[in-house]
Amino acid sequence: MEQSNSLAEAPEIISETNLTPLPLVVDVRPLPLVLLAKGYRYIALGLLFALFGLGISQPPPQGLSVEGYKALAVFLLCLSLWVSQLLPLSITSLLALVLVPLFGIMSTKEAYGLFGNEAVFFILGVFILAAAMMRSGLSTRVALFFLERFGSSPRKLIVGILFTGAFLSFWMSEHAVAAMLFPIVLEIAHSLKLHPLKSRYGKALFLSMAWGVIIGGVATFLGGARNPLAVGILRESTGISIGFVEWIIAIFPEVLALGLVAFFLLTRFFKPEIESVDLARENIHKKIEAMGRASLHEYGIAFIMLATIVAWIFLGKQVGLANIAILSVVVLFAVQLVNWKDIEGYVNWGVILMYGGAIALGAALAQSGAANWISDIAIKPWASSVFLAMIAFAGLSIFLTEGISNAAVVAILMPVGLGLADNLGIDPKVMTYAIAMPSGLAFLLPMGTPANALAYSSGFIRIKDVFMYGLLLNIIALVLFALMVKFYWPLIGLKVI
Amino acid sequence: MEVAKKKVMLVYAAACHLDKATERALERVRSSGSSLTILFVLDPKAADAVTATLSNSAFIGDKPTDDLKATLLKDYRLRAEAQVEELAVLARSQGIDTMTYIREGEIEKESISLVQELGIDLLIVPRCKRTPLTELVMGSACNRLKINAPCEVLMVDEN
């Protein structure tokens, strides 16, 4: 079997030594379509900005201030860009940051000041801490530790992967956990000689990976940057905040319930066609042996991570979550547990641009009165029941996130949701939970979240597997959320009104 | 005078069920005393769609994204090798002279290139069903192959 051409080889170039000319492939589509395919992005961007220019030059509608109208125009432009991804998400947020002072919605000092928001630096600190865990191999070691203990039977291995994904996503970005777990699960599938597209157990393995990280990622501020983003917008718009432990207490019952539902679905509908996972256990054991003993380096990072989590829990309110995160990062570098070059490759700095700009835009909408105006005109008339309005927002969040980034969902829905909360007298914290938590539960589509995309790319899962059971999970998640709002939150002092 | 044996090539790019295309390829080879070439084309961009979501919307750093891309491509290659081998074993069990290739690149260019190199007479291409609108707007690798290949092309609808 010949294997020619590697990724490393440059594209074929006609030269004296190459007697085979580059094959000419003619695109046979109609010419206008070809031109449209090549230029649609520029056309779409041009149209969007033209519409924006036209819109923003109009007088504001009744009941809305000039600043509010302009904030709304900027918001709609950014919404279109976030959804279409004609520009990278973080660049759209940067655009928001620039347009807000340019059109006099807010002063330059205030707009840029919001960029340096506490939430942004908390997210940055968390990402660097997670990067340290990944770079040192500590997160992989923890994952293998759990898998070895859970992997004594096919059913237990599914529990192990579900639990490992969820547990790790409590403490670091769920997407990073998915990226780390995927090669391990892939090797498990190969070691068990499971056939792509045919093996039910193979489907269960990858779905348990995806569902575990998705469910775990909503439990704390650490699993998904959308949660601190939502709290950041809440704080800048209302002055109210949600604490680290407060979030966990409010959300955890749903996380636990969803985990149980996921386990039931995986073991009921994907019954394993194999009886033993000994080969997988051997594989995991070999990987653990290959890693060798944990180094002082890993112990050091683990200690700092644990200390940071304890500090967030007990000192979060007094010291500030971002302060603790950044101090921990400083300690990591001070004791040379990490170096800049290593960490740089593991952190995507675009996250700062995305979240900073989104928070500034959210604050602009709130301060200018645009958020209240939207909810007054567009939502309040049909929001006869406060409870139903909240569930509707949760439903909107859970289904929007299938098509667009969950950070974009939060950036879009939070200002509007907080406006409605203000109008109807809903506790803004409750609205924050209703938007942020469901925005992380993208079970439905392969591209809804990186974890799903990875599971689908394994070749074991078809679109209809993801869609069917994902839809079921989405609906169950909404029902559980409604039950939690109605019965559990009042017990912990969280009232809708 | 001995009639030259025709060379048949089965080309595909995604690991999926190829029952009909395989059946047609083997049928043609058996009836004309041909040899069979199996070509699987790995498109490196296949991994980009997945890793793009990691870096663009999940804000994962470059290093884990690149590691993941390498893992995905390695897995695609392993799957391709397994599938190609499965088809080759089936063909050889029927006494058919079979050669296999795995190449990386775009399916049209790699197929045409190998057709020219080996002097293939018939190219068999499995085709997944798409709506006419999708084909018109997105184009179709199968259609482009049909127009551009320097040999007879037989498209087999798999679903």
Side-chain angles (χ1 to χ4, degrees):
Chain A
M1 185 162 46
E2 176 188 322
Q3 293 176 358
S4 69
N5 300 356
S6 73
L7 279 177
E9 284 181 11
E12 190 175 2
I13 301 169
I14 298 172
S15 68
E16 285 179 3
T17 56
N18 185 346
L19 298 175
T20 310
L22 195 70
L24 179 67
V25 177
V26 176
D27 192 331
V28 297
R29 290 175 294 172
L31 181 62
L33 265 175
V34 173
L35 293 173
L36 187 65
K38 292 199 181 302
Y40 84 93
R41 201 173 151 270
Y42 302 102
I43 297 167
L45 275 171
L47 271 171
L48 260 178
F49 281 107
L51 277 168
F52 168 72
L54 190 65
I56 208 163
S57 56
Q58 303 303 311
Q62 200 174 4
L64 186 61
S65 65
V66 170
E67 291 77 21
Y69 179 66
K70 288 178 178 175
L72 185 58
V74 171
F75 175 68
L76 287 172
L77 174 66
C78 292
L79 183 155
S80 308
L81 289 169
W82 275 324
V83 168
S84 62
Q85 293 200 39
L86 287 167
L87 292 176
L89 298 180
S90 45
I91 299 302
T92 300
S93 291
L94 262 189
L95 179 66
L97 189 67
V98 162
L99 291 178
V100 161
L102 259 183
F103 284 97
I105 301 165
M106 211 183 251
S107 70
T108 305
K109 192 173 175 183
E110 199 180 352
Y112 282 87
L114 283 166
F115 190 82
N117 187 277
E118 192 186 333
V120 172
F121 284 90
F122 171 74
I123 291 162
L124 178 63
V126 165
F127 270 45
I128 295 176
L129 289 167
M133 285 180 55
M134 288 182 76
R135 175 69 179 94
S136 65
L138 177 62
S139 51
T140 304
R141 190 183 291 281
V142 170
L144 292 171
F145 170 84
F146 283 124
L147 289 175
E148 197 186 26
R149 267 137 195 84
F150 278 99
S152 59
S153 72
R155 208 172 143 99
K156 281 185 185 167
L157 185 57
I158 294 297
V159 173
I161 294 171
L162 194 63
F163 174 80
T164 303
F167 181 77
L168 284 172
S169 298
F170 291 167
W171 315 115
M172 54 190 282
S173 158
E174 62 174 84
H175 308 304
V177 174
M180 189 256 313
L181 268 184
F182 177 76
I184 297 175
V185 177
L186 203 55
E187 277 204 42
I188 289 174
H190 286 320
S191 68
L192 294 172
K193 298 183 180 19
L194 303 175
H195 200 292
L197 285 180
K198 289 182 185 167
S199 167
R200 278 192 312 272
Y201 193 63
K203 288 188 214 274
L205 285 175
F206 286 98
L207 284 175
S208 64
M209 177 207 79
W211 291 353
V213 304
I214 292 170
I215 291 168
V218 302
T220 73
F221 283 165
L222 310 181
R226 64 188 165 270
N227 299 338
L229 170 65
V231 173
I233 295 175
L234 170 71
R235 188 175 25 244
E236 292 308 323
S237 304
T238 65
I240 298 168
S241 190
I242 298 175
F244 188 85
V245 177
E246 199 179 343
W247 180 281
I248 297 172
I249 293 172
I251 297 298
F252 206 77
E254 169 129 15
V255 169
L256 200 59
L258 270 178
L260 291 170
V261 169
F263 171 66
F264 172 76
L265 289 176
L266 287 166
T267 49
R268 174 80 176 79
F269 294 104
F270 299 96
K271 285 197 164 48
E273 69 277 9
I274 55 170
E275 285 178 7
S276 162
V277 290
D278 287 346
L279 290 171
R281 289 195 81 188
E282 269 173 46
N283 185 283
I284 293 167
H285 193 70
K286 275 187 192 150
K287 288 175 97 64
I288 294 173
E289 281 191 344
M291 287 189 83
R293 296 180 68 161
S295 60
L296 272 176
H297 195 80
E298 287 177 68
Y299 279 118
I301 292 173
F303 176 76
I304 288 174
M305 193 66 206
L306 279 167
T308 308
I309 292 168
V310 168
W312 279 326
I313 291 171
F314 293 104
L315 299 172
K317 276 201 170 128
Q318 299 94 302
V319 178
L321 297 179
N323 291 336
I324 293 169
I326 298 299
L327 278 172
S328 299
V329 166
V330 170
V331 169
L332 273 181
F333 281 93
V335 298
Q336 293 186 310
L337 285 172
V338 296
N339 66 59
W340 188 254
K341 202 160 165 49
D342 286 340
I343 290 299
E344 233 186 347
Y346 282 86
V347 178
N348 188 324
W349 305 97
V351 70
I352 305 168
L353 306 182
M354 171 70 199
Y355 290 102
I359 289 172
L361 182 58
L365 281 167
Q367 285 176 26
S368 64
N372 277 23
W373 184 84
I374 296 170
S375 71
D376 253 340
I377 300 296
I379 301 165
K380 198 174 167 186
W382 58 261
S384 53
S385 153
V386 163
F387 177 73
L388 282 177
M390 272 208 34
I391 301 306
F393 262 90
L396 195 57
S397 177
I398 208 171
F399 284 103
L400 265 183
T401 199
E402 298 294 346
I404 62 177
S405 136
N406 49 41
V409 171
V410 166
I412 291 166
L413 289 183
M414 274 297 293
V416 180
L418 290 178
L420 183 70
D422 190 42
N423 279 336
L424 296 182
I426 301 174
D427 183 343
K429 283 190 195 181
V430 160
M431 185 56 83
T432 304
Y433 290 127
I435 292 169
M437 200 270 298
S439 75
L441 300 176
F443 294 111
L444 197 60
L445 296 176
M447 290 306 178
T449 185
N452 275 355
L454 280 172
Y456 181 68
S457 73
S458 68
F460 281 86
I461 291 172
R462 293 166 302 177
I463 290 181
K464 74 174 189 187
D465 295 322
V466 179
F467 188 84
M468 215 161 64
Y469 297 104
L471 182 60
L472 198 52
L473 269 172
N474 268 13
I475 293 169
I476 292 172
L478 259 182
V479 169
L480 284 172
F481 180 76
L483 291 171
M484 196 166 69
V485 170
K486 195 84 180 156
F487 299 110
Y488 171 65
W489 282 356
L491 297 176
I492 57 170
L494 203 54
K495 290 192 180 126
V496 174
I497 295 181
Chain B
M1 189 172 64
E2 200 179 308
V3 175
K5 281 188 180 178
K6 276 195 161 184
K7 292 182 183 175
V8 176
M9 184 162 93
L10 171 63
V11 62
Y12 60 107
C16 56
H17 299 298
L18 295 176
D19 303 328
K20 290 178 185 165
T22 308
E23 204 181 292
R24 291 293 284 274
L26 294 176
E27 215 175 83
R28 283 287 188 126
V29 167
R30 277 195 302 266
S31 65
S32 59
S34 323
S35 62
L36 177 65
T37 301
I38 301 171
L39 168 66
F40 188 104
V41 182
L42 275 170
D43 187 352
K45 288 190 225 135
D48 288 345
V50 178
T51 54
T53 64
L54 277 174
S55 57
N56 294 346
S57 53
F59 300 105
I60 298 297
D62 291 339
K63 180 77 176 58
T65 305
D66 290 342
D67 288 346
L68 194 61
K69 186 172 173 176
T71 301
L72 284 169
L73 288 169
K74 185 181 164 191
D75 182 55
Y76 291 159
R77 178 173 280 280
L78 286 171
R79 280 194 265 152
E81 285 171 5
Q83 184 154 19
V84 165
E85 185 57 29
E86 197 180 314
L87 289 177
V89 161
L90 176 64
R92 284 171 191 144
S93 71
Q94 296 180 20
I96 295 171
D97 180 24
T98 308
M99 282 183 71
T100 59
Y101 294 83
I102 293 180
R103 286 196 171 175
E104 287 172 11
E106 290 175 24
I107 187 170
E108 303 101 301
K109 291 189 176 168
E110 295 303 326
S111 307
I112 292 168
S113 176
L114 195 60
V115 160
Q116 288 169 342
E117 270 176 53
L118 301 179
I120 298 292
D121 300 300
L122 170 66
L123 186 60
I124 296 180
V125 185
R127 183 170 62 178
C128 293
K129 206 171 179 183
R130 288 165 105 177
T131 63
L133 182 61
T134 309
E135 263 198 33
L136 179 68
V137 173
M138 306 289 289
S140 156
C142 298
N143 284 342
R144 286 193 291 274
L145 262 177
K146 192 162 189 173
I147 303 282
N148 294 286
C151 66
E152 188 190 343
V153 175
L154 173 66
M155 291 199 278
V156 180
D157 290 324
E158 281 295 338
N159 56 11

